[in-house]
Amino acid sequence: MRRNPFDEIEEMLDRVSKQVEEGMASGGLQVPGTVPVDVTDTGDEFVVTADLPGYEVEDIDLTLTEGTLRLEANRTEEAEFADDEGEGRYLRHERTRKTANRSIRLPEPVDEDDVSAGYENGVLTVRLPKESGSEESKRIDIE
């Protein structure tokens, strides 16, 4: 069987990304726009846990394509400021839009039909049972 030539490039980019993130994390910093995740192999499944505080379920989009879990979260707040006298004003307004994303390459194929996700108290948990892979994209609903 012939190896996909892009697999080596993707593996190298994953390693570089991980090294940058680890370097930033060791200094107490996070790469802007990334989502901190834990990936656990329980034997029967992979469990991905991601911190996404301040997002609603509708803000989060999960897809699984060719062994890569892609997480995207976009939040836009409609900003209105009013006080009783009508004289309030923002001194700083930084919370209007927030975007975060992360791609996690899984080391083994998973059963895409049995993937499940839940979101509670700002923590997203995705359960990916192991099995044979698939070439097409699968959207994952969050409960």
Side-chain angles (χ1 to χ4, degrees), residues 35-120:
V35 177
V37 298
D38 293 334
V39 180
T40 308
D41 183 346
T42 67
D44 294 332
E45 67 182 357
F46 298 107
V47 179
V48 177
T49 307
D51 290 336
L52 289 168
Y55 291 93
E56 299 293 329
V57 170
E58 302 81 33
D59 299 334
I60 304 169
D61 188 35
L62 287 174
T63 54
L64 182 60
T65 306
E66 297 178 5
T68 299
L69 178 67
R70 176 115 175 107
L71 183 156
E72 294 183 51
N74 295 295
R75 178 183 74 197
T76 304
E77 292 185 17
E78 298 298 323
E80 286 187 31
F81 183 90
D83 62 6
D84 293 338
E85 291 80 40
E87 297 193 22
R89 63 185 174 93
Y90 281 107
L91 299 177
R92 180 174 291 199
H93 188 65
E94 298 176 347
R95 299 179 55 229
T96 58
R97 180 162 174 77
K98 187 171 181 180
T99 300
N101 60 67
R102 186 71 183 260
S103 291
I104 299 125
R105 183 124 174 109
L106 302 170
E108 296 176 41
V110 297
D111 182 353
E112 295 182 5
D113 293 328
D114 286 333
V115 173
S116 63
Y119 183 69
E120 187 175 344

Side-chain angles (χ1 to χ4, degrees), residues 64 110-117 127-134 136-141 143:
L64 182 60
V110 297
D111 182 353
E112 295 182 5
D113 293 328
D114 286 333
V115 173
S116 63
R127 297 187 171 283
L128 303 119
K130 294 180 182 179
E131 201 175 50
S132 61
S134 174
E136 61 186 58
S137 294
K138 168 90 172 150
R139 181 165 165 70
I140 303 164
D141 293 326
E143 297 176 14

